[in-house]
Amino acid sequence: MGWWPIGSDGDVIGDDPADSVALALNVLAEQSQQRSGALPSVGDLLGLLATVLREPDLAVLDDAQRVALAGLEATMRSGVTISGNGERWIDAWQIAPIRRACARTLRFYQDAMARPPRLSEVLATWAFVLGSGADDYLAVDPDDALLGIAPQLAPLRPREAFLAPAHREVAVRFLREEVERLALMASDPSTDAGGREIALDMIFRYRLSHLIARYSRGDAIASLGAEFPAIVDALAAYLATPDSYGIALEFYEHYVSCMWLVSLATLLHVDDALFDRLLGLLNQGGRDMLFDRLVAYRRPGGELCPDLLHPLPYTSLAMALSSAEPRRGELLRMFLGQYYPSAAKLSWHDLHLRSSEKFFGYWSFEVAAFVVCEGVEDAAFADDYFYPRDLTGRRMYRTWEDSEQGAADRSAYQRYREEIKG
């Protein structure tokens, strides 16, 4: 089977996926003529393909792509653009050949590339097969031709305020591709033990960063939890290497990562088995009061450590949890104000200035987790840059946005604060 590059972004398409698409189109055309006496339209095909690509069980695309895919649009040589979103009624006989072709495409990419196909590769394959021969399968003028298929994406509203939307797309793609590259490096027999340990460490870090970057980009929260098991798997693979440095809350970088992991597991509602596996890998109980308290919300009964390993900035957070309102809200706002400056020595500090392709966002997930678990009233800090409020199930106030939506959020936040005061 042959593969060949397309474009400049590292995309490839291959003979076997193309053959599967051609077979599906033949079956669809034959059955359509038998049942209705006519070939399907371009819009019909686009709707069928969009429907299949959005199916979570098939998993051709990742969760973020499925959620964002509103429909597909074909550009014809005649200058006409044709759309299809799959919202009309679809019969089983129509969808079956498209589903088989996509399932085979997924298998071919996994076997040859050790990854699923990208949306751009799937669409390029269908466009390649149709090309100037679209009239063989679809109700198209023989003098016309299909030039390309593009996704119609539902707009994402970014959550973080530091970079333009284009940078967020770059970061999500860079982190995903780095995971793919490092996975090949780790599995290469020629990679020595030290190189493999470094690769597995970075895979874990980049997988966690990728999930956070997707959150920052504005991906649906419901789609994020599916990525968490791969993060835990990556952590397990790294810790299993003989030369792993392990994890120790005494190191501030490790402490923040552990707080993020347990907080995200709580906020994304991962199942009990995965939560327990994460705790077993971290193995940090009894060392820090905030870590122990965070764990205790899902695993109560353990002894809580009285010590705080990193007083700056976490003293104000610890004080907030033992205070009543409104002092509690004031202390949490103080903590959020100290959160980013106190991270000056951490690897991700100022990434938006130093290496934007790796920038995933600056979020205090632990505040959101404590808000949920303690039932904190968050009016005093609900619009803070570093507070991932919608992970608590509440509206995010993007009061920093210079837009109509930002203005609406500013008004809504003001009303919310007045309601709480009243």
Side-chain angles (χ1 to χ4, degrees):
M1 179 181 70
W3 294 87
W4 60 95
I6 55 170
S8 58
D9 293 327
D11 288 355
V12 295
I13 60 175
D15 289 326
D16 280 353
D19 289 344
S20 294
V21 168
L23 177 61
L25 288 168
N26 270 315
V27 171
L28 179 65
E30 290 176 3
Q31 293 190 356
S32 183
Q33 286 183 315
Q34 290 171 3
R35 292 169 182 268
S36 66
L39 292 171
S41 69
V42 174
D44 290 338
L45 175 64
L46 296 176
L48 291 168
L49 182 55
T51 299
V52 170
L53 292 176
R54 286 194 295 258
E55 291 180 349
D57 293 340
L58 189 59
V60 174
L61 306 178
D62 66 32
D63 290 319
Q65 290 174 318
R66 281 200 299 274
V67 169
L69 186 62
L72 298 173
E73 182 177 82
T75 301
M76 308 301 292
R77 187 167 60 195
S78 60
V80 174
T81 57
I82 304 171
S83 299
N85 55 27
E87 291 181 353
R88 71 169 185 79
W89 180 262
I90 295 174
D91 291 320
W93 66 267
Q94 296 174 302
I95 206 77
I98 311 300
R99 187 179 289 126
R100 284 195 297 270
C102 288
R104 289 169 180 162
T105 297
L106 173 62
R107 186 174 71 251
F108 291 137
Y109 274 85
Q110 288 175 329
D111 290 346
M113 304 291 169
R115 62 169 176 82
R118 298 165 186 152
L119 177 58
S120 53
E121 292 170 326
V122 173
L123 301 183
T125 301
W126 284 81
F128 170 76
V129 174
L130 288 165
S132 60
D135 61 306
D136 292 337
Y137 312 107
L138 306 173
V140 175
D141 188 323
D143 294 328
D144 207 350
L146 188 146
L147 301 181
I149 302 174
Q152 295 176 320
L153 301 177
L156 297 176
R157 190 180 178 194
R159 294 182 173 93
E160 61 85 24
F162 291 87
L163 289 178
H167 287 91
R168 300 184 190 100
E169 295 296 332
V170 169
V172 170
R173 181 157 192 160
F174 172 84
L175 292 165
R176 182 185 69 239
E177 291 177 347
E178 280 297 284
V179 168
E180 295 168 359
R181 181 186 68 81
L182 290 162
L184 292 175
M185 176 180 169
S187 62
D188 188 338
S190 66
T191 302
D192 62 23
R196 184 171 183 274
E197 184 268 329
I198 292 172
L200 292 174
D201 180 24
M202 295 309 299
I203 288 172
F204 160 64
R205 293 171 185 268
Y206 281 156
R207 279 200 177 277
L208 177 58
S209 298
H210 182 261
L211 183 150
I212 299 172
R214 287 182 53 213
Y215 173 75
S216 296
R217 183 175 65 177
D219 289 19
I221 290 172
S223 75
L224 300 177
E227 195 166 338
F228 203 82
I231 296 172
V232 178
D233 287 344
L235 176 61
Y238 163 63
L239 293 176
T241 60
D243 297 326
S244 164
Y245 287 103
I247 295 173
L249 291 183
E250 289 75 10
F251 295 106
Y252 190 32
E253 187 104 27
H254 290 195
Y255 183 87
V256 173
S257 295
C258 288
M259 293 293 281
W260 285 355
L261 286 165
V262 176
S263 297
L264 284 167
T266 300
L267 296 165
L268 298 176
H269 309 288
V270 306
D271 62 48
D272 287 343
L274 185 60
F275 189 80
D276 288 340
R277 185 180 179 218
L278 173 65
L279 294 184
L281 291 169
L282 297 178
N283 191 27
Q284 297 298 304
R287 298 185 183 186
D288 176 81
M289 66 166 65
L290 289 177
F291 181 84
D292 286 354
R293 186 161 179 169
L294 196 55
V295 169
Y297 294 121
R298 286 193 64 167
R299 293 295 174 265
E303 186 175 347
L304 301 182
C305 176
D307 302 320
L308 186 62
L309 286 173
H310 301 282
L312 183 66
Y314 285 94
T315 294
S316 54
L317 177 55
M319 290 175 61
L321 298 179
S322 60
S323 300
E325 303 293 352
R327 178 63 173 160
R328 172 180 277 191
E330 295 168 358
L331 286 166
L332 286 171
R333 189 167 190 89
M334 180 188 302
F335 170 74
L336 288 166
Q338 298 169 334
Y339 185 72
Y340 185 69
S342 71
K345 294 183 178 180
L346 298 185
S347 61
W348 47 264
H349 189 268
D350 273 357
L351 264 184
H352 68 294
L353 301 175
R354 297 186 287 109
S355 187
S356 61
E357 74 277 4
K358 298 179 182 178
F359 174 63
F360 49 84
Y362 306 127
W363 300 104
S364 176
F365 297 110
E366 54 268 59
V367 166
F370 281 122
V371 165
V372 169
C373 296
E374 293 274 349
V376 174
E377 174 50 63
D378 67 355
F381 55 91
D383 68 334
D384 194 276
Y385 281 143
F386 307 113
Y387 174 42
R389 190 174 195 254
D390 55 353
L391 285 174
T392 72
R394 309 179 195 186
R395 173 177 176 174
M396 176 170 271
Y397 295 117
R398 298 168 176 83
T399 56
W400 56 84
E401 276 190 11
D402 184 16
S403 65
E404 290 186 9
Q405 289 179 314
D409 278 352
R410 287 188 286 276
S411 297
Y413 178 49
Q414 183 61 35
R415 290 194 301 273
Y416 173 56
R417 295 198 67 176
E418 290 171 355
E419 290 171 4
I420 296 301
K421 288 179 180 179

